[in-house]
Amino acid sequence: MEAINNLLGGSTVTDVLFYVFAALTLLCGVLVVANPFSRNPVTSAMFLVLTIISMAGLFVLLHAFFLAAVQIIVYAGAVIVLFLFVIMLLDLKEEQRRKIKVFGLVGGLVSVGAVVAISLKALLTANPGANLPAPQLEGGTNALGQLLFRQYVLPFEVVSVLLLVAMVGVILLSKKDLK
Amino acid sequence: MEDGRWRRMRVVSILHPLFSIFIVENMNVGLEHYLVVSFLLFALGLLGVVMRRNLLVIYMSLELMLNAANLALVSFSRFNNQLDGQVLVFFIITVAAAEVAVGLALIVALYRRRQTAHVEDLTSMKL
């Protein structure tokens, strides 16, 4: 932790690392959604792993060490494995290129462009980063655990119930003779 | 402004021209930079949900959107010196894991019945 903090202390290093991780995240995100070389879902899943790992790098740059570890363990370790299991279970073929409807394409691009334009405009006008004090926050396991088990103990328990419900639901859904 | 700082600014803006608009007024990477990355990632996920036809890839794009929201929350938490945002991200990751499990079970059950994972073949509820 001390070594990481020393490394993150220099502003030039963190800036360059931010640009590297941000570019990697966005590039792999593009390859998840629109890979020009392959329409195979397995390729998308593998690039999703890369996106998530580079996003964990961004979390480390934001001093959220615990969340970076959780991100890698839960997403890259559990969620992606679940995706790959389902892909192999379904034996999905490559998505054949169907005729893309022009209306759908234009509508999708326009709506996504509108969302980006609105949020960037809001960011530029609100300018939330101005006049903030220097960030001191450390998202270590200790601090996060103190907050989680003191102030947020009720949501924590509710989430555990939610996980139980999800587990029961999945077992029921995957039964052969669903009644 | 001394010479080395100018060169650093030039190098950084060449590395990623998208962010160069912010670099002139604010040299260090700040909240805006993380938010721009988060917005772009969210837009990518939205594009995937709208454009792709494979149910599993649509699901992966949904994960991308959730991750973009997580990044925005963590950066707000860091730059406002409040740990609450990270607790919220912790809960979002838990709920996302449960959601993926249920959703994939639904997709498997659907595939057993209809032998397809394409949204264009699943039109029985269409008007």
Side-chain angles (χ1 to χ4, degrees):
Chain A
M1 192 76 89
E2 200 65 35
I4 296 175
N5 274 336
N6 284 339
L7 181 70
L8 295 183
S11 75
T12 329
V13 180
T14 37
D15 287 3
V16 171
L17 278 178
F18 166 77
Y19 286 111
V20 168
F21 280 128
L24 209 60
T25 308
L26 289 177
L27 184 72
C28 296
V30 169
L31 289 176
V32 170
V33 171
N35 195 331
F37 306 111
S38 155
R39 310 292 277 183
N40 203 330
V42 178
T43 328
S44 290
M46 292 334 262
F47 278 112
L48 188 59
V49 175
L50 278 179
T51 313
I52 280 159
I53 288 174
S54 43
M55 183 161 283
L58 285 181
F59 282 3
V60 169
L61 289 183
L62 287 166
H63 293 241
F65 303 113
F66 178 70
L67 282 182
V70 164
Q71 174 96 350
I72 287 185
I73 291 170
V74 172
Y75 270 110
V79 169
I80 301 296
V81 170
L82 213 57
F83 268 114
L84 289 176
F85 259 116
V86 169
I87 290 170
M88 286 166 194
L89 203 66
L90 301 191
D91 191 23
L92 287 180
K93 305 290 179 301
E94 282 216 3
E95 191 177 340
Q96 56 269 58
R97 290 187 183 273
R98 303 188 181 196
K99 205 175 153 225
I100 298 176
K101 293 184 191 103
V102 181
F103 180 73
L105 183 76
V106 171
L109 284 178
V110 164
S111 58
V112 169
V115 168
V116 172
I118 288 171
S119 38
L120 285 183
K121 180 81 175 107
L123 181 64
L124 281 176
T125 44
N127 199 6
N131 309 320
L132 283 183
Q136 303 286 330
L137 189 77
E138 296 291 332
T141 315
N142 193 356
L144 210 59
Q146 297 280 350
L147 198 59
L148 195 61
F149 288 108
R150 285 193 176 146
Q151 196 179 340
Y152 290 97
V153 70
L154 180 65
F156 184 79
E157 299 294 335
V158 172
V159 156
S160 69
V161 174
L162 177 78
L163 282 179
L164 178 69
V165 169
M167 196 169 75
V168 173
V170 167
I171 291 171
L172 198 71
L173 273 176
S174 54
K175 280 178 85 164
K176 262 266 158 51
D177 44 347
L178 195 62
K179 269 179 259 173
Chain B
M1 199 179 293
E2 71 264 51
D3 199 21
R5 202 165 159 203
W6 262 113
R7 198 177 304 136
R8 212 165 68 200
M9 281 171 64
R10 290 270 306 281
V11 167
V12 168
S13 57
I14 288 167
L15 266 182
H16 220 294
L18 195 69
F19 299 122
S20 55
I21 44 169
F22 297 113
I23 283 170
V24 179
E25 54 181 296
N26 189 4
M27 174 56 211
N28 283 320
V29 169
L31 180 57
E32 297 91 354
H33 296 68
Y34 286 97
L35 287 183
V36 168
V37 174
S38 160
F39 288 156
L40 290 179
L41 205 62
F42 187 87
L44 270 175
L46 188 59
L47 196 67
V49 171
V50 175
M51 304 295 296
R52 290 301 291 261
R53 292 283 166 264
N54 193 326
L55 267 180
L56 280 162
V57 180
I58 289 177
Y59 236 72
M60 289 177 208
S61 309
L62 270 178
E63 291 304 307
L64 226 53
M65 289 163 81
L66 277 171
N67 267 304
N70 282 351
L71 182 63
L73 279 172
V74 172
S75 51
F76 271 123
S77 153
R78 160 85 174 155
F79 286 98
N80 285 301
N81 287 323
Q82 294 253 331
L83 208 53
D84 304 51
Q86 299 198 5
V87 177
L88 189 55
V89 170
F90 181 79
F91 288 133
I92 290 177
I93 289 177
T94 320
V95 172
E99 173 240 335
V100 164
V102 175
L104 287 179
L106 277 174
I107 290 178
V108 169
L110 194 67
Y111 192 83
R112 269 210 206 112
R113 236 160 218 261
R114 309 302 271 309
Q115 306 296 319
T116 180
H118 266 274
V119 283
E120 282 167 350
D121 299 332
L122 306 169
T123 54
S124 58
M125 286 179 80
K126 207 172 173 180
L127 281 178

